Structure formats: structure tokens, C-alpha cells
Amino acid sequence: MFSPLDWNAKQAVGALLLGALVVWIVYNVQQAVYNVFFHPLARFPGPRAAAATKLWKAYIECIKQESFCHKLEKVHAQYGDVVRVGPDELHFANPQAYHDIYNSKNKWDKEWFLYHSFNEDRSSFGFVTYAEAKERKDVLSRTFSPKAIEQSQGLVIEKVDALCAAFERQAKANKPSDLFYAFRCMSMDVITYLCFGASVDAIEAPDFEAPIIEAMDASMPVFVRFKHAEWYKNMIMNCPPNISRIVSPQTAGLVDLQQILKKQIGNLTENPENLAHLPHQMTIYHRLLDKEAYRSNTVPSPGSLYEEAQALMFGGGDTTGNTLMLGTFHLLKQPETMAKLKAELKEAWPKLSDAPPELRELERLPYLNAVAKEALRMSSGVISGLLRVVPAGGAKICETFVPEGTIVSIGSTFVHFNPEIFPNPHEWRPERWLENPDLDDWLVTFSRGPRMCLGINLAWAELRLCFAYVFRKFDMKLEEPAPKELPFRETFLPYYYGQHAKAFMTPVAA
Ligand code: HEM
């Protein structure tokens, strides 16, 4: 039986909760009214719900599970070139906005919520301010400069050769090779070998189904939720490894790799003399653990080193793998383009028994480079808008004044699939790059400005070497029924959710 005291206490708690709920509702309603009618961005068109609350974007991405870049196409069609997609956020559709936002003069901050969601706050990618990122990128640029990459091309070639050997094994077993997995295995092996001196040898996994590659892929949609719910991110990321393996078996390979990297970093920071035991001198740790490389004379903490390693793995693995996969898929779908590429490669490398062309020679092959550019355009790298915050004083973007503090972006697909710049943009046509060299201005896959890709030279080396070696050494045919297209959903990077393209690889005789 309840005593009258219990009853009164319960009533008081109930009233308190109800009161708190009413205050919360009133606060949010008045905030929404302010956002829609009185906010400095109130004059910009867009869905009312987007102007009112950030929950609109969360609803689209997490509940409706719509690809945000595809949703943006619809809202731009309805509201025009500049659309308000959040209470303090604008998205642009006019390609000129790309050059207005991401250029070398603009040292604008990255937007905290998006970049914080990757759990890499203390890395060249995750630092929100230009100054912090610059210090780190200056240190790392010696590993990724054109000269350094040219000098380490042998390390990349080792992995491209391993990929070709694995393709031959598949051919001998009369099995097709999964293009999605195979190229990702190659790019992941390149990064872990070149950057960390500890290759995960994903290429050697049977049928290229390496647990780390499957785990990285499975983790992509999870990152979308992290962006909107920090508590959810903290719960997953701070889970002890053993529990995480049970709760989320599909990402177990990632947890394993995290443990290997953390152990390696712990070992190197405690015993820097162990750097000498790594298989080569080009690792990021040779740079990052060198005190003298920093103005502050202090090396980053083990946590920061780990976040850097993770950023490089995600930044350079899927992006390069996707570009190679997509380019190969289109070359096989349009054999006349493949024939042109093969003819050019045969001329540059007449006999397979001869020494292969060096990276410098590959840089001069017009069709090979046009193929790589078309693959970069159609894969588009990071397809989400790279959110930047307009600094004090505001800025002009596409002749439109944007007040300070506004979050702005334009996704790369709005440039790469603009029919005025790239006629018939969904058509695979490497020739367009040869016909019009000015198009290079509109290739923004690596972004532009001070926060553009740090690994661009490595990525270009991988693309040139991989396309050249694979298409010179193999005749290839898609396994039928082949997918008609490769649909994707935006999860910062594109998440290819459809049937994988597979190809039968036949080694050419000479
Ligand atoms: C085809 C391959 C690649 C593409 C399309 C690509 C694309 C991009 C893009 C669009 C950005 C800007 C991201 C942002 O503003 O938030 C970026 C940044 C970055 N990329 Fe790449 N990337 C590729 C390969 C690589 C490789 C191989 C590495 C290194 C192993 C790498 C490391 C980085 C890093 C560290 C950043 C952060 C730079 C900063 O924030 O200042 N990327 N990349």
C-alpha cells in the first residue's frame, strides 16, 4: 500500500518531469520560430523543416536512410542554386561555388560536428583549424611530396605486383576477381606498408575477402549516425574490443586492426630505436616521431598518432580503391575505351619481359591519364559537402553575401555531373579530358585549397601504376550477368551497396 508521503513525492516528481518537458518544448518551438523567421539566413530558400531544426537532416539520413547528396539534387531542383539545408547551413549547386569556398586564400575552419564524428580530432584530417592542420601536414608532406612518392614507387609496385599475382591465381582457378574487394585490398596494403611499415597483406586473402576490407565497408553507414548522435558514437567507439566484437561482428576486423596499430604506436613511442626495425624509412612514424620537425619540439601523443594512422587508412583506402574499381568497370563496359588504353600501354611497354615503364613515363601517357581523370570524376572521392564555416565579416559565394558563422559547402558531384561543364555527365568518356585541357580546373575529387588531399601524389601513383600494370598484363571480361551500374549511398564517401562487379582475368602472353 502507498503511504500519503509516497503519493505526494510521486506527484511532485511527475509534475517536475512534466514541467521540464513543457520547458523543453517551448524552448524548441521558440528556437524553431526564430530560425525560420528571424535568423540571419531566414531570407534563403529551402524546406521549412530544414530551416527550423538540424533534426531535418538527421531524419533524412538516419530514419529515412536517404542518400543526402541525392536528396540535395531534389531540393536544388525545387528551390534553386542556393538552399538552406539546416538552421545555419547553406548548400550551393553552382560549380563556381567550389572555387569560391575551397581556394588557397580561404583558411576557413572545418565544421566541428561533422569532423568530430570521425573520432580523428587530433589528425591532419580531423583538426578543425587551418593552423593545427598546417603544422601536421608540413611534417607529413615529406612522406607524400611528389619527390618522396617517386622515390617510394618501388613500394607501391610491390603491392601492384602482388595484386597481379593474385589475379593470376584467380585465373588459374578459373574464378572471377571481385573488383570492389581486389582494388581496396591493394590500396589498403599500400597504405599500411608505405605509411606504417606493417602491411596487412589483404591481397593474400582468399577471393580478396579480407576481414579488414569487409569491416571498413560495414562501418561506413555507421558513421552517418555518429554525425547526428555523439552519445551513440561514444558508446560504440569506447566499447572494450571484446564486447565490440560481440555487439558488432561485422566491424570486428576493424577492431583487430586498431589493436595492431595501437600496439605498434605504443612500441615505437616507448622505444623510438625500433624505427630502425621497420622494413623501410618512408613510414609516417619516421617523420612524426622526429622532434625537430616541429616548431614546438614536441612529438604528438600516442593517441594523436593513432588518429593520424586511422585518418590515412580511411582517407586513402576506400577512395583509391573506389576510383580503380569504377574506372575498370567502365573500361570493361566500353571495350573500345579499353582497347585504346591497352594500345597505348603496349606501345609504352612493348614486351612484358622488358623493364616496366617508370612512374615518370606513365605520367606522360595521355590516354592513361585521361582514364584516371574520368575515373576520378565519376567516383568523385568524398561525395558529401566538405563543410566549412564562413569567418568573421562574412563572405561572397557565387555573388551571394553569406553571413559569418554560416556552414557552407558544395558536394563534388555537383561539379562533376554538371552537364554544362561535362556534357552527358553520366557517360564514361575519357576523351573529354584530351579534347579540353581546361576541364582540369573542374576536377575537384581531391578538393582544393589549404585542406585539399594530403595523399594526392600517392593516389595518382597508385592509379597510374595500377591501371597500367593490370591492363597491360591482363585481358579482362566482366562476369555475366554484370551489374548495369554501381549504385551508391552517401556516407561521406560513397557506399556501394549493390552487386559487386567481377571480372575474369586472362594473363596476356607477352
Ligand atoms: C583517389 C584517392 C583519394 C581521393 C579521391 C581523396 C580525396 C580527398 C578529399 C576530397 C579530401 C578533403 C577532405 C576534407 O576536406 O574534409 C582529402 C583529404 C585528405 N586526404 Fe585524401 N584522397 C585520396 C587519397 C588519399 C591518400 C592515398 C591519402 C594518404 C594515404 C590521403 C590522405 C588525406 C588526408 C590526410 C587528408 C586531410 C587533409 C586536410 O584535411 O587538410 N588521401 N582527400
Side-chain angles (χ1 to χ4, degrees):
M1 290 290 285
F2 294 116
S3 73
L5 196 66
D6 282 342
W7 179 244
N8 286 342
K10 280 199 166 175
Q11 269 191 323
V13 171
L16 212 65
L17 286 177
L18 190 66
L21 183 68
V22 170
V23 170
W24 185 82
I25 291 173
V26 169
Y27 171 78
N28 280 291
V29 169
Q30 71 89 22
Q31 191 66 46
V33 170
Y34 168 80
N35 285 341
V36 173
F37 298 105
F38 306 106
H39 192 283
L41 297 187
R43 68 192 161 94
F44 288 96
R48 271 280 159 89
T53 166
K54 282 178 189 285
L55 291 176
W56 177 77
K57 199 169 175 181
Y59 171 73
I60 303 287
E61 294 201 289
C62 302
I63 312 285
K64 283 188 90 184
Q65 306 214 349
E66 254 187 276
S67 175
F68 200 63
C69 67
H70 295 120
K71 176 74 182 175
L72 283 172
E73 284 171 19
K74 293 181 204 157
V75 289
H76 278 295
Q78 189 176 351
Y79 296 100
D81 269 359
V82 190
V83 174
R84 191 177 179 197
V85 291
D88 48 7
E89 183 179 345
L90 298 177
H91 186 272
F92 292 78
N94 181 338
Q96 181 53 41
Y98 208 98
H99 293 303
D100 291 349
I101 299 173
Y102 313 97
N103 64 57
S104 51
K105 281 195 211 127
N106 288 353
K107 299 177 172 55
W108 299 357
D109 286 354
K110 288 186 169 184
E111 191 268 340
W112 188 85
F113 277 99
L114 170 64
Y115 287 94
H116 181 62
S117 70
F118 299 106
N119 231 31
E120 296 163 359
D121 293 11
R122 295 165 295 172
S123 69
S124 48
F125 168 77
F127 286 127
V128 167
T129 65
Y130 161 78
E132 290 170 295
K134 181 171 182 337
E135 187 179 22
R136 179 67 58 85
K137 285 173 88 171
D138 282 351
V139 174
L140 280 174
S141 62
R142 290 249 306 261
T143 303
F144 294 110
S145 70
K147 193 167 160 217
I149 295 302
E150 200 185 342
Q151 281 167 355
S152 31
Q153 63 179 296
L155 303 177
V156 180
I157 291 172
E158 263 185 59
K159 295 302 170 192
V160 177
D161 278 339
L163 176 69
C164 292
F167 280 151
E168 274 188 41
R169 286 198 296 276
Q170 292 292 104
K172 268 198 190 123
N174 210 15
K175 283 188 198 168
S177 293
D178 185 313
L179 299 177
F180 177 87
Y181 283 141
F183 289 121
R184 278 193 185 199
C185 286
M186 196 278 310
S187 57
M188 190 48 59
D189 282 358
V190 167
I191 290 168
T192 50
Y193 185 42
L194 190 131
C195 298
F196 317 140
S199 173
V200 289
D201 293 337
I203 289 171
E204 307 307 326
D207 296 325
F208 302 105
E209 287 174 10
I212 174 63
I213 305 300
E214 290 179 332
M216 281 178 76
D217 194 42
S219 69
M220 301 303 294
V222 183
F223 278 101
V224 178
R225 283 177 235 146
F226 285 0
K227 199 166 53 174
H228 298 289
E230 204 191 345
W231 61 268
Y232 178 71
K233 181 193 84 169
N234 290 339
M235 188 181 78
I236 301 273
M237 299 307 270
N238 298 330
C239 210
N242 290 343
I243 300 182
S244 167
R245 277 192 201 98
I246 298 164
V247 177
S248 175
Q250 51 310 22
T251 52
L254 202 56
V255 177
D256 291 341
L257 183 70
Q258 282 172 343
Q259 297 312 307
I260 296 170
L261 288 178
K262 280 184 180 164
K263 203 166 146 203
Q264 183 191 29
I265 290 165
N267 174 295
L268 292 173
T269 42
E270 278 159 34
N271 311 294
E273 66 280 4
N274 283 349
L275 276 177
H277 300 151
L278 293 178
H280 60 84
Q281 308 293 305
M282 299 300 295
T283 76
I284 54 163
Y285 303 120
H286 284 88
R287 300 293 310 136
L288 291 173
L289 291 174
D290 176 7
K291 259 193 202 167
E292 283 166 22
Y294 300 85
R295 258 172 278 131
S296 57
N297 235 17
T298 328
V299 297
S301 65
S304 174
L305 290 173
Y306 170 71
E307 286 172 20
E308 193 65 62
Q310 184 177 297
L312 294 175
M313 242 168 52
F314 274 94
D318 291 2
T319 45
T320 316
N322 287 344
T323 310
L324 287 164
M325 185 256 310
L326 208 91
T328 303
F329 173 73
H330 285 292
L331 284 164
L332 297 185
K333 279 263 172 191
Q334 272 170 248
E336 68 285 2
T337 59
M338 179 165 65
K340 281 191 199 171
L341 175 64
K342 281 174 94 56
E344 187 183 74
L345 291 170
K346 177 101 182 156
E347 207 179 313
W349 189 357
K351 281 196 219 140
L352 281 179
S353 51
D354 294 344
E358 299 241 318
L359 206 44
R360 269 206 193 167
E361 292 164 73
L362 297 180
E363 277 166 22
R364 289 194 289 266
L365 298 186
Y367 204 74
L368 171 67
N369 287 290
V371 162
K373 285 179 192 171
E374 188 71 340
L376 284 163
R377 178 184 75 83
M378 292 190 83
S379 61
S380 278
V382 178
I383 50 170
S384 290
L386 306 169
L387 305 186
R388 301 290 186 263
V389 183
V390 173
K396 263 205 168 167
I397 301 173
C398 289
E399 302 303 316
T400 305
F401 179 77
V402 178
E404 66 187 54
T406 306
I407 301 163
V408 291
S409 73
I410 167 171
S412 55
T413 53
F414 285 84
V415 179
H416 292 150
F417 291 90
N418 182 299
E420 280 167 33
I421 302 174
F422 298 102
N424 301 318
H426 293 279
E427 193 183 306
W428 167 260
R429 226 171 64 77
E431 291 72 14
R432 64 174 94 233
W433 298 96
L434 304 172
E435 290 157 7
N436 181 3
D438 292 346
L439 282 186
D440 285 4
D441 268 357
W442 296 107
L443 185 65
V444 297
T445 321
F446 295 103
S447 188
R448 295 289 168 102
R451 301 305 300 267
M452 75 176 287
C453 181
L454 175 71
I456 183 170
N457 301 308
L458 174 59
W460 266 106
E462 288 182 63
L463 297 180
R464 289 185 177 118
L465 288 165
C466 215
F467 278 129
Y469 276 50
V470 171
F471 282 88
R472 177 64 186 90
K473 289 186 168 192
F474 294 93
D475 287 330
M476 300 161 70
K477 204 170 173 325
L478 281 173
E479 182 196 44
E480 295 298 344
K484 285 200 170 38
E485 51 188 31
L486 301 173
F488 65 84
R489 174 185 164 203
E490 177 194 314
T491 56
F492 198 62
L493 298 174
Y495 172 67
Y496 292 93
Y497 56 81
Q499 179 197 341
H500 288 187
K502 295 185 178 182
F504 287 100
M505 321 284 290
T506 310
V508 300

